[in-house]
Short mmCIF file of all heavy atoms in Angstrom, two decimals:
data_model
loop_
_atom_site.label_atom_id
_atom_site.label_comp_id
_atom_site.label_asym_id
_atom_site.label_seq_id
_atom_site.Cartn_x
_atom_site.Cartn_y
_atom_site.Cartn_z
N THR I 701 -107.72 67.42 67.79
CA THR I 701 -107.86 66.09 68.02
C THR I 701 -108.82 65.40 67.02
O THR I 701 -109.85 65.82 66.53
CB THR I 701 -108.77 65.91 69.38
OG1 THR I 701 -108.01 66.59 70.48
CG2 THR I 701 -108.74 64.43 69.80
N THR I 702 -108.40 64.18 66.65
CA THR I 702 -109.06 63.34 65.58
C THR I 702 -110.40 62.94 65.98
O THR I 702 -110.64 62.78 67.29
CB THR I 702 -108.29 62.11 65.20
OG1 THR I 702 -108.14 61.27 66.35
CG2 THR I 702 -106.87 62.45 64.74
N ASP I 703 -111.37 62.77 65.11
CA ASP I 703 -112.78 62.42 65.35
C ASP I 703 -112.82 60.97 65.39
O ASP I 703 -111.76 60.14 65.49
CB ASP I 703 -113.70 63.05 64.43
CG ASP I 703 -113.50 62.62 63.13
OD1 ASP I 703 -112.75 61.60 62.77
OD2 ASP I 703 -113.93 63.24 62.13
N ASN I 704 -113.92 60.32 65.60
CA ASN I 704 -114.12 58.85 65.60
C ASN I 704 -113.70 58.12 64.35
O ASN I 704 -113.52 56.84 64.51
CB ASN I 704 -115.56 58.48 65.86
CG ASN I 704 -115.96 58.89 67.38
OD1 ASN I 704 -115.11 59.03 68.27
ND2 ASN I 704 -117.22 59.10 67.53
N SER I 705 -113.52 58.75 63.27
CA SER I 705 -113.02 58.24 62.06
C SER I 705 -111.43 58.44 61.82
O SER I 705 -110.89 57.95 60.95
CB SER I 705 -113.73 58.75 60.86
OG SER I 705 -115.16 58.50 60.83
N GLY I 706 -110.87 59.04 62.83
CA GLY I 706 -109.45 59.33 62.68
C GLY I 706 -109.12 60.62 61.95
O GLY I 706 -107.98 60.73 61.55
N ASP I 707 -110.10 61.40 61.62
CA ASP I 707 -109.85 62.68 60.78
C ASP I 707 -109.66 63.84 61.77
O ASP I 707 -110.27 63.96 62.73
CB ASP I 707 -111.00 62.96 59.87
CG ASP I 707 -111.25 61.69 58.89
OD1 ASP I 707 -110.29 61.08 58.53
OD2 ASP I 707 -112.33 61.53 58.44
N VAL I 708 -108.86 64.81 61.27
CA VAL I 708 -108.59 66.02 61.92
C VAL I 708 -108.48 67.25 60.95
O VAL I 708 -107.86 66.95 59.82
CB VAL I 708 -107.40 65.92 62.84
CG1 VAL I 708 -106.10 65.69 61.94
CG2 VAL I 708 -107.18 67.13 63.76
N THR I 709 -108.87 68.38 61.34
CA THR I 709 -108.77 69.49 60.43
C THR I 709 -108.23 70.66 61.17
O THR I 709 -108.68 71.06 62.28
CB THR I 709 -110.23 69.91 59.89
OG1 THR I 709 -110.81 68.85 59.14
CG2 THR I 709 -110.07 71.18 59.03
N PHE I 710 -107.26 71.28 60.50
CA PHE I 710 -106.69 72.57 60.92
C PHE I 710 -107.15 73.62 60.05
O PHE I 710 -107.05 73.71 58.79
CB PHE I 710 -105.14 72.53 60.84
CG PHE I 710 -104.49 71.30 61.71
CD1 PHE I 710 -104.07 70.21 61.11
CD2 PHE I 710 -104.27 71.52 63.01
CE1 PHE I 710 -103.53 69.16 61.92
CE2 PHE I 710 -103.69 70.54 63.81
CZ PHE I 710 -103.31 69.26 63.25
N THR I 711 -107.84 74.59 60.63
CA THR I 711 -108.41 75.69 59.91
C THR I 711 -107.63 76.98 59.90
O THR I 711 -106.79 77.05 60.85
CB THR I 711 -109.85 75.94 60.34
OG1 THR I 711 -109.69 76.46 61.73
CG2 THR I 711 -110.71 74.77 60.20
N ASP I 712 -107.81 77.81 59.00
CA ASP I 712 -107.18 79.15 58.94
C ASP I 712 -105.60 79.01 59.04
O ASP I 712 -105.02 79.71 59.97
CB ASP I 712 -107.61 80.10 60.06
CG ASP I 712 -109.12 80.42 59.99
OD1 ASP I 712 -109.66 80.32 58.71
OD2 ASP I 712 -109.80 80.60 60.82
N VAL I 713 -104.99 78.25 58.19
CA VAL I 713 -103.55 78.16 58.19
C VAL I 713 -102.94 79.00 56.89
O VAL I 713 -103.55 78.80 55.89
CB VAL I 713 -103.09 76.69 58.11
CG1 VAL I 713 -101.61 76.50 58.04
CG2 VAL I 713 -103.85 75.93 59.08
N THR I 714 -101.81 79.61 57.11
CA THR I 714 -101.34 80.46 55.98
C THR I 714 -100.48 79.70 55.07
O THR I 714 -99.98 78.63 55.47
CB THR I 714 -100.52 81.62 56.67
OG1 THR I 714 -99.38 81.06 57.38
CG2 THR I 714 -101.25 82.49 57.65
N SER I 715 -100.48 80.20 53.83
CA SER I 715 -99.63 79.65 52.84
C SER I 715 -98.20 79.70 53.25
O SER I 715 -97.68 80.85 53.55
CB SER I 715 -99.82 80.38 51.55
OG SER I 715 -101.10 80.00 50.90
N ALA I 716 -97.37 78.58 53.24
CA ALA I 716 -96.03 78.54 53.69
C ALA I 716 -95.49 77.18 53.29
O ALA I 716 -96.31 76.26 53.05
CB ALA I 716 -95.84 78.88 55.21
N ALA I 717 -94.16 77.09 53.33
CA ALA I 717 -93.51 75.76 53.08
C ALA I 717 -92.98 75.19 54.42
O ALA I 717 -92.76 75.88 55.35
CB ALA I 717 -92.36 75.86 52.20
N GLY I 718 -92.96 73.87 54.42
CA GLY I 718 -92.29 73.13 55.40
C GLY I 718 -93.08 72.75 56.59
O GLY I 718 -92.49 72.51 57.79
N TYR I 719 -94.40 72.71 56.49
CA TYR I 719 -95.17 72.21 57.73
C TYR I 719 -94.98 70.70 57.95
O TYR I 719 -94.66 70.05 56.95
CB TYR I 719 -96.68 72.48 57.32
CG TYR I 719 -97.20 73.91 57.41
CD1 TYR I 719 -97.45 74.72 56.32
CD2 TYR I 719 -97.28 74.60 58.62
CE1 TYR I 719 -97.85 75.97 56.40
CE2 TYR I 719 -97.69 75.90 58.85
CZ TYR I 719 -98.03 76.53 57.61
OH TYR I 719 -98.45 77.86 57.64
N TYR I 720 -95.26 70.34 59.15
CA TYR I 720 -95.20 68.92 59.44
C TYR I 720 -96.06 68.73 60.59
O TYR I 720 -96.56 69.70 61.33
CB TYR I 720 -93.82 68.31 59.69
CG TYR I 720 -93.05 68.88 60.91
CD1 TYR I 720 -93.27 68.39 62.13
CD2 TYR I 720 -92.36 70.19 60.72
CE1 TYR I 720 -92.50 68.91 63.29
CE2 TYR I 720 -91.60 70.56 61.84
CZ TYR I 720 -91.71 70.13 63.07
OH TYR I 720 -91.03 70.55 64.14
N VAL I 721 -96.53 67.39 60.95
CA VAL I 721 -97.44 67.26 62.06
C VAL I 721 -96.74 66.19 62.97
O VAL I 721 -96.03 65.33 62.44
CB VAL I 721 -98.82 66.77 61.59
CG1 VAL I 721 -99.63 67.78 60.88
CG2 VAL I 721 -98.67 65.54 60.83
N LEU I 722 -97.13 66.20 64.22
CA LEU I 722 -96.67 65.28 65.13
C LEU I 722 -98.02 64.68 65.96
O LEU I 722 -98.67 65.53 66.42
CB LEU I 722 -95.73 65.69 66.09
CG LEU I 722 -94.15 65.96 65.59
CD1 LEU I 722 -93.41 66.63 66.58
CD2 LEU I 722 -93.60 64.76 64.95
N ALA I 723 -98.08 63.49 66.08
CA ALA I 723 -99.20 62.84 66.77
C ALA I 723 -98.78 62.47 68.07
O ALA I 723 -97.78 61.77 68.28
CB ALA I 723 -99.93 61.74 66.01
N ASP I 724 -99.58 62.81 69.16
CA ASP I 724 -99.35 62.22 70.52
C ASP I 724 -100.00 60.97 70.75
O ASP I 724 -101.16 60.85 70.97
CB ASP I 724 -99.89 63.27 71.70
CG ASP I 724 -99.53 62.86 72.96
OD1 ASP I 724 -98.82 61.94 73.12
OD2 ASP I 724 -100.03 63.49 73.93
N LEU I 725 -99.08 59.86 70.62
CA LEU I 725 -99.75 58.47 70.67
C LEU I 725 -99.22 57.80 71.92
O LEU I 725 -99.43 56.59 72.14
CB LEU I 725 -99.15 57.70 69.45
CG LEU I 725 -99.63 58.24 68.01
CD1 LEU I 725 -98.86 57.63 66.84
CD2 LEU I 725 -101.19 57.96 67.85
N SER I 726 -98.54 58.54 72.82
CA SER I 726 -97.97 57.93 73.98
C SER I 726 -99.07 57.26 75.00
O SER I 726 -98.52 56.27 75.59
CB SER I 726 -97.30 58.93 74.77
OG SER I 726 -98.07 60.08 75.15
N GLY I 727 -100.21 57.75 74.91
CA GLY I 727 -101.15 57.02 75.87
C GLY I 727 -102.00 56.01 75.35
O GLY I 727 -102.80 55.54 75.98
N LYS I 728 -101.67 55.70 73.97
CA LYS I 728 -102.56 54.67 73.34
C LYS I 728 -101.95 53.33 73.47
O LYS I 728 -100.79 53.10 73.55
CB LYS I 728 -102.62 55.04 71.82
CG LYS I 728 -103.50 56.31 71.55
CD LYS I 728 -103.93 56.34 70.12
CE LYS I 728 -104.88 57.43 69.96
NZ LYS I 728 -106.26 57.20 70.67
N GLN I 729 -102.85 52.35 73.63
CA GLN I 729 -102.42 50.88 73.78
C GLN I 729 -101.92 50.34 72.53
O GLN I 729 -102.40 50.62 71.47
CB GLN I 729 -103.69 50.14 74.27
CG GLN I 729 -103.27 48.68 74.49
CD GLN I 729 -104.53 47.90 74.96
OE1 GLN I 729 -105.66 48.40 75.22
NE2 GLN I 729 -104.44 46.56 75.08
N HIS I 730 -100.78 49.68 72.58
CA HIS I 730 -100.21 48.98 71.45
C HIS I 730 -100.61 47.60 71.38
O HIS I 730 -101.30 47.19 72.27
CB HIS I 730 -98.60 49.17 71.59
CG HIS I 730 -98.08 48.34 72.83
ND1 HIS I 730 -97.91 48.94 74.04
CD2 HIS I 730 -97.84 47.06 72.92
CE1 HIS I 730 -97.44 48.02 74.84
NE2 HIS I 730 -97.45 46.84 74.23
#
Side-chain angles (χ1 to χ4, degrees):
T701 301
T702 59
D703 60 20
N704 287 336
S705 298
D707 298 329
V708 63
T709 300
F710 301 97
T711 59
D712 296 336
V713 182
T714 62
S715 290
Y719 284 107
Y720 63 92
V721 296
L722 294 176
D724 182 8
L725 301 165
S726 58
K728 290 197 171 294
Q729 182 178 353
H730 61 268

